[in-house]
Amino acid sequence: MTPEKGKFKHVTEVSVRNYEIDWQGIVHNANYLLYFEIGRVGYLEQLGAKLDVNTVRHESKVVVARNEIDYLSPAQFGETLTVYTRISVIRNTSFFFEGYIEEESGHRPISSNVSIHVWLDHRTGKPMSVPAHFRKLVGEYEGENALIEKPGLMT
Amino acid sequence: MTPEKGKFKHVTEVSVRNYEIDWQGIVHNANYLLYFEIGRVGYLEQLGAKLDVNTVRHESKVVVARNEIDYLSPAQFGETLTVYTRISVIRNTSFFFEGYIEEESGHRPISSNVSIHVWLDHRTGKPMSVPAHFRKLVGEYEGENALIEKPGLMT
Amino acid sequence: MTPEKGKFKHVTEVSVRNYEIDWQGIVHNANYLLYFEIGRVGYLEQLGAKLDVNTVRHESKVVVARNEIDYLSPAQFGETLTVYTRISVIRNTSFFFEGYIEEESGHRPISSNVSIHVWLDHRTGKPMSVPAHFRKLVGEYEGENALIEKPGLMT
Amino acid sequence: MTPEKGKFKHVTEVSVRNYEIDWQGIVHNANYLLYFEIGRVGYLEQLGAKLDVNTVRHESKVVVARNEIDYLSPAQFGETLTVYTRISVIRNTSFFFEGYIEEESGHRPISSNVSIHVWLDHRTGKPMSVPAHFRKLVGEYEGENALIEKPGLMT
């Protein structure tokens, strides 16, 4: 379940905030989803891609269709976390983000995430092929680490 | 991906709150995780089980190990949601919750969830068999809808 | 500090959700602000007023300028809260919401709130007089309980 | 309403996170309360004071009794905020935190906060004099900027 760290080029630092913790200084499980989102937003900014992948809106171009989170060990109050983010796969109409969080100083694994994002035609609301410019941006950034399928194949 | 509604015996109602929405009245994707949690808490209360399955704490007895969420359509501001919750499987040291959310009046599918919870020995922190009393409570409530494996088998 | 309950005509019910609590089942202090917001949104809906008073946006018509919250006793996990909401004062360019929360079954005082909202001219961003139709709506609903000053006076 | 910046010795940096924003990149009004809390937690850590002032718990020693927030201009997505924090007054059984937030690069005023915290006797739940060691820690850190009244006076 733990992804290969060597494949990640994008790294963000997140400090655990006091109101994110539960009793005894442990982060509530829903907050990891927010940490992974911070990673995705930073990743897309670095790529220069103008899109918002964190919404479930069917009006906008890209919607999040699925999230998988594995909890490896709980983050504690006062810890700084390293969030690794990459796009691992682009299929015809969708792409996959992978995320991995570890505690910064001791490299303790905290959580891993896969999220699936679907590109929608704004007018019809139907899935459409992930545009060429986005495939190109990701391909140049990720190199061999990303599997970028040819557009037009099913799904 | 949409679970069979007929298998769910536990139902909770959740109103979308204004601060849970994004621009244009759409619920942020992390909030669905919180709605499913409301369902699990209500389920365990109805069962009379005294445990907290929503934490990632390794000090406590039960920890959440994994969450899978499928986003089917975005919930809107002002909508009332029906949250269906059930325990579908109990294995040796873990059990699975399934959740399904639909919009109440029109039955529009909103989201589905599977979460995996692991029972830990408080002193050693190692997984232990899910206790007999919990297997019994769930078995009586779920009947044939839950797959309850014999304790002692691996995992 | 506790407002006079008899002056409130608008009442909303809020259930404490599990993820709003801190260790030992007590609501985090920032969440009361969200509960009062639920009350204000419901109040304006009942009035039929089309405005969003819960944002700090200077682009929109009405912005929240100040919040005062008194914490009277902590809400606990599993409690149902009664949120009382009223507009107490309309001045030239601003109006005041008052809120009061008590635990439903035992009427234990939980928190009280005053928030100040300013009406802005969308083009200039400058404060403008609260429109006549809003003064009328509030005046008819609140009757003698609201102090509605004449527009045009300073502030 | 804007506090004198020269009186603040404690400064924390907070990045606006994507999920804290409303439509069009503006921070929801309840989040400022969380930013001020980050400042208070950092302040007490720097002082070496072992206490949690951010809860409403009557079981613990220090409870938050009141919060006042003025919204000066909305924070935007992508902005970094500077949070200034100080203890301005210690009375017999209570003390006052003041906070001030500005946008980091342009020094645009964002929000100011006063919070009142009451020291409680753990057994009786009644207010007790703020302990001498806490008065001493704050007095040494704040110097002439804090008004530290003698214990034993009323309130």
Side-chain angles (χ1 to χ4, degrees):
Chain A
M1 289 183 195
T2 305
E4 292 174 58
K5 272 174 60 180
K7 292 195 168 178
F8 289 89
K9 295 186 175 173
H10 188 271
V11 178
T12 316
E13 190 181 272
V14 173
S15 297
V16 173
R17 293 181 177 174
N18 39 294
Y19 53 83
E20 293 163 351
I21 62 165
D22 233 70
W23 81 283
Q24 297 183 327
I26 294 164
V27 170
H28 185 276
N29 71 75
N31 288 312
Y32 299 101
L33 215 46
L34 302 176
Y35 297 161
F36 287 117
E37 188 179 301
I38 292 173
R40 293 196 295 265
V41 169
Y43 180 99
L44 292 169
E45 274 181 3
Q46 181 164 335
L47 237 67
K50 305 286 186 211
L51 60 103
D52 179 359
V53 295
N54 297 301
T55 59
V56 194
R57 291 169 217 157
H58 282 180
E59 305 87 304
S60 77
K61 287 275 178 36
V62 179
V63 298
V64 55
R66 183 174 165 84
N67 250 314
E68 300 173 8
I69 310 109
D70 287 297
Y71 303 101
L72 306 172
S73 81
Q76 316 275 338
F77 177 48
E79 290 187 336
T80 301
L81 308 179
T82 311
V83 182
Y84 297 86
T85 308
R86 71 190 192 99
I87 289 179
S88 54
V89 178
I90 302 182
R91 307 194 68 180
N92 181 22
T93 63
S94 64
F95 59 94
F96 291 46
F97 262 112
E98 290 194 18
Y100 176 63
I101 297 176
E102 64 179 23
E103 191 277 325
E104 190 178 53
S105 63
H107 304 288
R108 192 176 82 254
I110 301 290
S111 185
S112 65
N113 173 233
V114 175
S115 58
I116 305 179
H117 304 263
V118 177
W119 215 287
L120 297 182
D121 184 297
H122 189 66
R123 291 159 306 166
T124 64
K126 301 285 181 195
M128 54 175 276
S129 291
V130 175
H133 74 271
F134 187 74
R135 292 175 186 274
K136 187 159 175 284
L137 274 178
V138 174
E140 287 169 0
Y141 185 71
E142 293 290 352
E144 298 204 339
N145 291 330
L147 173 64
I148 303 182
E149 298 180 0
K150 288 221 169 60
L153 298 176
M154 286 309 289
T155 12
Chain B
M1 286 183 195
T2 305
E4 292 174 59
K5 272 174 58 180
K7 291 195 168 178
F8 290 88
K9 296 188 174 170
H10 188 270
V11 178
T12 316
E13 190 182 272
V14 172
S15 298
V16 173
R17 293 180 178 177
N18 42 295
Y19 53 84
E20 293 164 349
I21 62 165
D22 233 71
W23 81 282
Q24 297 184 327
I26 294 165
V27 170
H28 184 276
N29 71 75
N31 288 313
Y32 299 101
L33 214 46
L34 302 176
Y35 298 160
F36 287 117
E37 187 179 302
I38 292 173
R40 293 196 294 267
V41 169
Y43 180 99
L44 292 169
E45 274 180 4
Q46 181 163 335
L47 238 65
K50 305 287 188 211
L51 59 104
D52 178 359
V53 295
N54 296 300
T55 60
V56 195
R57 289 168 219 157
H58 282 182
E59 305 86 304
S60 78
K61 287 277 179 35
V62 179
V63 298
V64 55
R66 182 173 167 85
N67 249 313
E68 300 173 9
I69 310 109
D70 287 297
Y71 304 101
L72 307 171
S73 83
Q76 318 273 338
F77 178 49
E79 290 187 337
T80 301
L81 308 178
T82 311
V83 183
Y84 296 86
T85 309
R86 72 189 191 101
I87 290 180
S88 53
V89 178
I90 301 181
R91 307 194 69 180
N92 181 22
T93 64
S94 65
F95 59 96
F96 290 46
F97 262 111
E98 291 193 18
Y100 175 63
I101 297 175
E102 64 179 22
E103 191 276 325
E104 191 177 52
S105 62
H107 304 289
R108 191 176 83 255
I110 302 290
S111 184
S112 66
N113 174 234
V114 176
S115 59
I116 306 179
H117 304 262
V118 177
W119 215 287
L120 298 181
D121 183 299
H122 189 66
R123 291 159 306 165
T124 65
K126 303 284 181 195
M128 55 176 275
S129 292
V130 174
H133 74 271
F134 187 75
R135 293 176 185 274
K136 187 157 175 287
L137 275 177
V138 174
E140 287 169 359
Y141 184 71
E142 294 290 351
E144 297 204 340
N145 291 330
L147 172 63
I148 303 183
E149 298 181 359
K150 288 224 167 59
L153 297 176
M154 285 308 289
T155 5
Chain C
M1 287 184 194
T2 306
E4 291 175 58
K5 273 174 59 181
K7 292 196 168 176
F8 289 89
K9 295 187 175 173
H10 188 272
V11 178
T12 317
E13 192 182 89
V14 172
S15 297
V16 173
R17 294 181 176 175
N18 40 295
Y19 52 83
E20 292 164 350
I21 61 164
D22 232 70
W23 81 282
Q24 296 184 329
I26 295 164
V27 170
H28 185 277
N29 70 77
N31 288 313
Y32 298 102
L33 214 47
L34 303 175
Y35 297 159
F36 287 117
E37 188 178 302
I38 292 172
R40 292 195 295 266
V41 169
Y43 180 99
L44 292 168
E45 275 181 3
Q46 182 164 336
L47 237 65
K50 303 288 186 211
L51 60 103
D52 179 358
V53 295
N54 297 302
T55 59
V56 194
R57 290 169 217 155
H58 283 181
E59 305 88 305
S60 77
K61 287 276 178 35
V62 178
V63 297
V64 56
R66 181 174 167 84
N67 249 314
E68 301 173 9
I69 311 108
D70 287 295
Y71 303 101
L72 306 172
S73 82
Q76 317 274 338
F77 178 48
E79 289 187 337
T80 301
L81 308 179
T82 311
V83 183
Y84 297 86
T85 309
R86 71 189 191 102
I87 291 181
S88 54
V89 177
I90 301 182
R91 307 194 68 181
N92 181 23
T93 63
S94 64
F95 59 93
F96 290 47
F97 261 112
E98 291 194 20
Y100 175 63
I101 297 176
E102 63 178 23
E103 192 276 325
E104 191 178 53
S105 62
H107 304 289
R108 192 176 81 254
I110 302 291
S111 184
S112 66
N113 174 232
V114 176
S115 60
I116 305 179
H117 304 263
V118 176
W119 215 288
L120 297 181
D121 183 298
H122 189 66
R123 293 159 305 166
T124 64
K126 303 285 182 194
M128 55 176 276
S129 291
V130 174
H133 74 270
F134 188 74
R135 290 175 187 275
K136 187 158 173 286
L137 275 178
V138 174
E140 286 169 0
Y141 185 71
E142 293 290 352
E144 297 204 339
N145 291 329
L147 172 65
I148 303 182
E149 299 180 0
K150 288 221 168 61
L153 297 176
M154 286 307 290
T155 6
Chain D
M1 288 181 194
T2 307
E4 293 174 57
K5 273 174 59 180
K7 291 194 167 178
F8 289 89
K9 295 187 174 172
H10 188 271
V11 178
T12 315
E13 191 180 89
V14 172
S15 297
V16 173
R17 294 181 176 175
N18 40 294
Y19 53 83
E20 292 163 351
I21 61 164
D22 232 69
W23 81 284
Q24 298 184 326
I26 295 165
V27 171
H28 184 276
N29 71 75
N31 288 313
Y32 298 101
L33 215 46
L34 302 176
Y35 297 161
F36 287 117
E37 188 179 300
I38 292 173
R40 292 195 295 266
V41 169
Y43 180 100
L44 292 169
E45 274 181 4
Q46 182 165 333
L47 237 67
K50 305 288 187 212
L51 60 104
D52 179 357
V53 295
N54 297 301
T55 58
V56 194
R57 289 168 219 159
H58 283 182
E59 307 84 306
S60 77
K61 287 277 179 39
V62 179
V63 297
V64 56
R66 182 174 167 85
N67 249 312
E68 300 173 9
I69 310 108
D70 288 297
Y71 304 101
L72 307 172
S73 82
Q76 316 275 337
F77 178 47
E79 290 187 336
T80 301
L81 308 178
T82 311
V83 183
Y84 297 87
T85 309
R86 71 190 192 101
I87 291 180
S88 54
V89 177
I90 302 181
R91 306 193 69 179
N92 182 23
T93 63
S94 64
F95 58 94
F96 291 46
F97 261 111
E98 290 193 18
Y100 175 64
I101 297 177
E102 63 179 23
E103 191 276 326
E104 192 178 49
S105 62
H107 303 290
R108 191 176 82 256
I110 301 292
S111 184
S112 66
N113 173 233
V114 175
S115 59
I116 305 179
H117 305 263
V118 176
W119 215 287
L120 297 181
D121 184 297
H122 188 66
R123 291 159 306 166
T124 65
K126 302 285 181 193
M128 55 175 276
S129 292
V130 174
H133 74 271
F134 187 73
R135 293 174 185 272
K136 187 158 174 287
L137 274 177
V138 174
E140 287 169 359
Y141 184 71
E142 293 291 350
E144 297 204 341
N145 291 329
L147 172 64
I148 303 183
E149 298 180 0
K150 288 223 169 61
L153 298 176
M154 285 310 287
T155 4

PDB file of all heavy atoms in Angstrom, chain B residues 64-84:
ATOM      1  N   VAL B  64      -9.347   3.086  12.262  1.00  0.00           N
ATOM      2  CA  VAL B  64      -9.732   3.055  10.853  1.00  0.00           C
ATOM      3  C   VAL B  64      -8.461   2.883  10.024  1.00  0.00           C
ATOM      4  O   VAL B  64      -7.484   3.605  10.200  1.00  0.00           O
ATOM      5  CB  VAL B  64     -10.542   4.307  10.452  1.00  0.00           C
ATOM      6  CG1 VAL B  64      -9.825   5.601  10.761  1.00  0.00           C
ATOM      7  CG2 VAL B  64     -10.894   4.267   8.969  1.00  0.00           C
ATOM      8  N   ALA B  65      -8.454   1.887   9.171  1.00  0.00           N
ATOM      9  CA  ALA B  65      -7.259   1.559   8.391  1.00  0.00           C
ATOM     10  C   ALA B  65      -7.371   2.020   6.946  1.00  0.00           C
ATOM     11  O   ALA B  65      -6.355   2.238   6.276  1.00  0.00           O
ATOM     12  CB  ALA B  65      -7.022   0.054   8.416  1.00  0.00           C
ATOM     13  N   ARG B  66      -8.587   2.153   6.453  1.00  0.00           N
ATOM     14  CA  ARG B  66      -8.751   2.501   5.036  1.00  0.00           C
ATOM     15  C   ARG B  66     -10.136   3.077   4.790  1.00  0.00           C
ATOM     16  O   ARG B  66     -11.102   2.680   5.445  1.00  0.00           O
ATOM     17  CB  ARG B  66      -8.568   1.238   4.184  1.00  0.00           C
ATOM     18  CG  ARG B  66      -8.662   1.473   2.675  1.00  0.00           C
ATOM     19  CD  ARG B  66      -8.308   0.203   1.913  1.00  0.00           C
ATOM     20  NE  ARG B  66      -8.672   0.291   0.523  1.00  0.00           N
ATOM     21  CZ  ARG B  66      -7.927   0.838  -0.438  1.00  0.00           C
ATOM     22  NH1 ARG B  66      -6.751   1.354  -0.139  1.00  0.00           N
ATOM     23  NH2 ARG B  66      -8.340   0.886  -1.674  1.00  0.00           N
ATOM     24  N   ASN B  67     -10.211   4.015   3.862  1.00  0.00           N
ATOM     25  CA  ASN B  67     -11.471   4.596   3.436  1.00  0.00           C
ATOM     26  C   ASN B  67     -11.506   4.622   1.918  1.00  0.00           C
ATOM     27  O   ASN B  67     -10.537   5.030   1.281  1.00  0.00           O
ATOM     28  CB  ASN B  67     -11.575   6.057   3.938  1.00  0.00           C
ATOM     29  CG  ASN B  67     -12.622   6.248   5.004  1.00  0.00           C
ATOM     30  OD1 ASN B  67     -13.748   5.785   4.865  1.00  0.00           O
ATOM     31  ND2 ASN B  67     -12.262   6.944   6.072  1.00  0.00           N
ATOM     32  N   GLU B  68     -12.607   4.180   1.324  1.00  0.00           N
ATOM     33  CA  GLU B  68     -12.818   4.325  -0.114  1.00  0.00           C
ATOM     34  C   GLU B  68     -14.120   5.081  -0.312  1.00  0.00           C
ATOM     35  O   GLU B  68     -15.156   4.683   0.223  1.00  0.00           O
ATOM     36  CB  GLU B  68     -12.960   2.952  -0.793  1.00  0.00           C
ATOM     37  CG  GLU B  68     -11.748   2.063  -0.633  1.00  0.00           C
ATOM     38  CD  GLU B  68     -11.990   0.655  -1.171  1.00  0.00           C
ATOM     39  OE1 GLU B  68     -13.035   0.429  -1.819  1.00  0.00           O
ATOM     40  OE2 GLU B  68     -11.154  -0.220  -0.916  1.00  0.00           O
ATOM     41  N   ILE B  69     -14.054   6.167  -1.080  1.00  0.00           N
ATOM     42  CA  ILE B  69     -15.258   6.971  -1.320  1.00  0.00           C
ATOM     43  C   ILE B  69     -15.450   7.140  -2.827  1.00  0.00           C
ATOM     44  O   ILE B  69     -14.526   7.564  -3.519  1.00  0.00           O
ATOM     45  CB  ILE B  69     -15.139   8.399  -0.731  1.00  0.00           C
ATOM     46  CG1 ILE B  69     -14.680   8.340   0.712  1.00  0.00           C
ATOM     47  CG2 ILE B  69     -16.473   9.155  -0.846  1.00  0.00           C
ATOM     48  CD1 ILE B  69     -13.271   8.828   0.903  1.00  0.00           C
ATOM     49  N   ASP B  70     -16.640   6.804  -3.309  1.00  0.00           N
ATOM     50  CA  ASP B  70     -17.001   7.112  -4.699  1.00  0.00           C
ATOM     51  C   ASP B  70     -17.990   8.259  -4.693  1.00  0.00           C
ATOM     52  O   ASP B  70     -18.971   8.249  -3.939  1.00  0.00           O
ATOM     53  CB  ASP B  70     -17.615   5.870  -5.376  1.00  0.00           C
ATOM     54  CG  ASP B  70     -16.557   4.831  -5.660  1.00  0.00           C
ATOM     55  OD1 ASP B  70     -15.646   5.120  -6.451  1.00  0.00           O
ATOM     56  OD2 ASP B  70     -16.618   3.746  -5.060  1.00  0.00           O
ATOM     57  N   TYR B  71     -17.703   9.246  -5.542  1.00  0.00           N
ATOM     58  CA  TYR B  71     -18.559  10.416  -5.657  1.00  0.00           C
ATOM     59  C   TYR B  71     -19.469  10.228  -6.867  1.00  0.00           C
ATOM     60  O   TYR B  71     -18.985  10.120  -7.988  1.00  0.00           O
ATOM     61  CB  TYR B  71     -17.703  11.672  -5.823  1.00  0.00           C
ATOM     62  CG  TYR B  71     -16.706  11.858  -4.695  1.00  0.00           C
ATOM     63  CD1 TYR B  71     -15.363  11.522  -4.870  1.00  0.00           C
ATOM     64  CD2 TYR B  71     -17.112  12.321  -3.457  1.00  0.00           C
ATOM     65  CE1 TYR B  71     -14.456  11.671  -3.837  1.00  0.00           C
ATOM     66  CE2 TYR B  71     -16.214  12.477  -2.412  1.00  0.00           C
ATOM     67  CZ  TYR B  71     -14.877  12.147  -2.608  1.00  0.00           C
ATOM     68  OH  TYR B  71     -13.985  12.284  -1.579  1.00  0.00           O
ATOM     69  N   LEU B  72     -20.768  10.171  -6.616  1.00  0.00           N
ATOM     70  CA  LEU B  72     -21.708   9.841  -7.682  1.00  0.00           C
ATOM     71  C   LEU B  72     -22.379  11.075  -8.260  1.00  0.00           C
ATOM     72  O   LEU B  72     -22.540  11.191  -9.468  1.00  0.00           O
ATOM     73  CB  LEU B  72     -22.728   8.836  -7.155  1.00  0.00           C
ATOM     74  CG  LEU B  72     -22.064   7.587  -6.511  1.00  0.00           C
ATOM     75  CD1 LEU B  72     -23.103   6.729  -5.819  1.00  0.00           C
ATOM     76  CD2 LEU B  72     -21.288   6.775  -7.532  1.00  0.00           C
ATOM     77  N   SER B  73     -22.759  12.000  -7.405  1.00  0.00           N
ATOM     78  CA  SER B  73     -23.207  13.324  -7.880  1.00  0.00           C
ATOM     79  C   SER B  73     -23.093  14.267  -6.690  1.00  0.00           C
ATOM     80  O   SER B  73     -23.209  13.851  -5.542  1.00  0.00           O
ATOM     81  CB  SER B  73     -24.632  13.283  -8.436  1.00  0.00           C
ATOM     82  OG  SER B  73     -25.586  13.369  -7.408  1.00  0.00           O
ATOM     83  N   PRO B  74     -22.864  15.558  -6.949  1.00  0.00           N
ATOM     84  CA  PRO B  74     -22.601  16.473  -5.840  1.00  0.00           C
ATOM     85  C   PRO B  74     -23.866  16.841  -5.082  1.00  0.00           C
ATOM     86  O   PRO B  74     -24.900  17.119  -5.691  1.00  0.00           O
ATOM     87  CB  PRO B  74     -22.000  17.700  -6.529  1.00  0.00           C
ATOM     88  CG  PRO B  74     -22.477  17.642  -7.933  1.00  0.00           C
ATOM     89  CD  PRO B  74     -22.705  16.202  -8.266  1.00  0.00           C
ATOM     90  N   ALA B  75     -23.774  16.848  -3.745  1.00  0.00           N
ATOM     91  CA  ALA B  75     -24.894  17.329  -2.928  1.00  0.00           C
ATOM     92  C   ALA B  75     -24.892  18.848  -2.950  1.00  0.00           C
ATOM     93  O   ALA B  75     -23.852  19.487  -3.049  1.00  0.00           O
ATOM     94  CB  ALA B  75     -24.754  16.815  -1.498  1.00  0.00           C
ATOM     95  N   GLN B  76     -26.076  19.402  -2.883  1.00  0.00           N
ATOM     96  CA  GLN B  76     -26.276  20.843  -3.003  1.00  0.00           C
ATOM     97  C   GLN B  76     -26.720  21.438  -1.663  1.00  0.00           C
ATOM     98  O   GLN B  76     -27.291  20.755  -0.822  1.00  0.00           O
ATOM     99  CB  GLN B  76     -27.399  21.116  -4.029  1.00  0.00           C
ATOM    100  CG  GLN B  76     -27.366  20.280  -5.273  1.00  0.00           C
ATOM    101  CD  GLN B  76     -26.498  20.863  -6.354  1.00  0.00           C
ATOM    102  OE1 GLN B  76     -26.235  22.056  -6.356  1.00  0.00           O
ATOM    103  NE2 GLN B  76     -26.018  20.033  -7.265  1.00  0.00           N
ATOM    104  N   PHE B  77     -26.527  22.731  -1.543  1.00  0.00           N
ATOM    105  CA  PHE B  77     -26.997  23.471  -0.386  1.00  0.00           C
ATOM    106  C   PHE B  77     -28.514  23.304  -0.233  1.00  0.00           C
ATOM    107  O   PHE B  77     -29.248  23.394  -1.213  1.00  0.00           O
ATOM    108  CB  PHE B  77     -26.644  24.952  -0.549  1.00  0.00           C
ATOM    109  CG  PHE B  77     -27.144  25.780   0.579  1.00  0.00           C
ATOM    110  CD1 PHE B  77     -26.916  25.406   1.892  1.00  0.00           C
ATOM    111  CD2 PHE B  77     -27.853  26.946   0.344  1.00  0.00           C
ATOM    112  CE1 PHE B  77     -27.378  26.170   2.943  1.00  0.00           C
ATOM    113  CE2 PHE B  77     -28.331  27.713   1.391  1.00  0.00           C
ATOM    114  CZ  PHE B  77     -28.087  27.321   2.687  1.00  0.00           C
ATOM    115  N   GLY B  78     -28.956  23.051   0.970  1.00  0.00           N
ATOM    116  CA  GLY B  78     -30.373  22.951   1.255  1.00  0.00           C
ATOM    117  C   GLY B  78     -30.928  21.544   1.121  1.00  0.00           C
ATOM    118  O   GLY B  78     -32.070  21.303   1.480  1.00  0.00           O
ATOM    119  N   GLU B  79     -30.104  20.625   0.626  1.00  0.00           N
ATOM    120  CA  GLU B  79     -30.591  19.256   0.457  1.00  0.00           C
ATOM    121  C   GLU B  79     -30.521  18.470   1.773  1.00  0.00           C
ATOM    122  O   GLU B  79     -29.644  18.696   2.598  1.00  0.00           O
ATOM    123  CB  GLU B  79     -29.785  18.531  -0.622  1.00  0.00           C
ATOM    124  CG  GLU B  79     -30.084  19.071  -2.016  1.00  0.00           C
ATOM    125  CD  GLU B  79     -29.437  18.263  -3.130  1.00  0.00           C
ATOM    126  OE1 GLU B  79     -28.433  17.561  -2.869  1.00  0.00           O
ATOM    127  OE2 GLU B  79     -29.931  18.342  -4.259  1.00  0.00           O
ATOM    128  N   THR B  80     -31.429  17.548   1.913  1.00  0.00           N
ATOM    129  CA  THR B  80     -31.380  16.599   3.005  1.00  0.00           C
ATOM    130  C   THR B  80     -30.915  15.268   2.437  1.00  0.00           C
ATOM    131  O   THR B  80     -31.383  14.841   1.382  1.00  0.00           O
ATOM    132  CB  THR B  80     -32.758  16.447   3.666  1.00  0.00           C
ATOM    133  OG1 THR B  80     -33.172  17.720   4.140  1.00  0.00           O
ATOM    134  CG2 THR B  80     -32.694  15.469   4.840  1.00  0.00           C
ATOM    135  N   LEU B  81     -29.975  14.633   3.129  1.00  0.00           N
ATOM    136  CA  LEU B  81     -29.370  13.405   2.640  1.00  0.00           C
ATOM    137  C   LEU B  81     -29.767  12.223   3.512  1.00  0.00           C
ATOM    138  O   LEU B  81     -29.924  12.355   4.729  1.00  0.00           O
ATOM    139  CB  LEU B  81     -27.847  13.533   2.630  1.00  0.00           C
ATOM    140  CG  LEU B  81     -27.288  14.770   1.911  1.00  0.00           C
ATOM    141  CD1 LEU B  81     -25.765  14.804   2.019  1.00  0.00           C
ATOM    142  CD2 LEU B  81     -27.739  14.807   0.456  1.00  0.00           C
ATOM    143  N   THR B  82     -29.944  11.081   2.883  1.00  0.00           N
ATOM    144  CA  THR B  82     -30.188   9.845   3.602  1.00  0.00           C
ATOM    145  C   THR B  82     -28.884   9.046   3.598  1.00  0.00           C
ATOM    146  O   THR B  82     -28.330   8.780   2.533  1.00  0.00           O
ATOM    147  CB  THR B  82     -31.294   9.025   2.911  1.00  0.00           C
ATOM    148  OG1 THR B  82     -32.404   9.877   2.665  1.00  0.00           O
ATOM    149  CG2 THR B  82     -31.727   7.861   3.783  1.00  0.00           C
ATOM    150  N   VAL B  83     -28.397   8.703   4.793  1.00  0.00           N
ATOM    151  CA  VAL B  83     -27.145   7.957   4.915  1.00  0.00           C
ATOM    152  C   VAL B  83     -27.469   6.526   5.339  1.00  0.00           C
ATOM    153  O   VAL B  83     -28.002   6.301   6.428  1.00  0.00           O
ATOM    154  CB  VAL B  83     -26.208   8.599   5.960  1.00  0.00           C
ATOM    155  CG1 VAL B  83     -24.876   7.850   6.022  1.00  0.00           C
ATOM    156  CG2 VAL B  83     -25.978  10.066   5.644  1.00  0.00           C
ATOM    157  N   TYR B  84     -27.167   5.579   4.472  1.00  0.00           N
ATOM    158  CA  TYR B  84     -27.361   4.157   4.773  1.00  0.00           C
ATOM    159  C   TYR B  84     -26.037   3.588   5.287  1.00  0.00           C
ATOM    160  O   TYR B  84     -24.980   3.857   4.705  1.00  0.00           O
ATOM    161  CB  TYR B  84     -27.752   3.391   3.503  1.00  0.00           C
ATOM    162  CG  TYR B  84     -29.066   3.805   2.912  1.00  0.00           C
ATOM    163  CD1 TYR B  84     -29.152   4.872   2.025  1.00  0.00           C
ATOM    164  CD2 TYR B  84     -30.239   3.127   3.240  1.00  0.00           C
ATOM    165  CE1 TYR B  84     -30.371   5.255   1.475  1.00  0.00           C
ATOM    166  CE2 TYR B  84     -31.460   3.508   2.691  1.00  0.00           C
ATOM    167  CZ  TYR B  84     -31.513   4.567   1.813  1.00  0.00           C
ATOM    168  OH  TYR B  84     -32.707   4.947   1.273  1.00  0.00           O
TER     169      TYR B  84
END
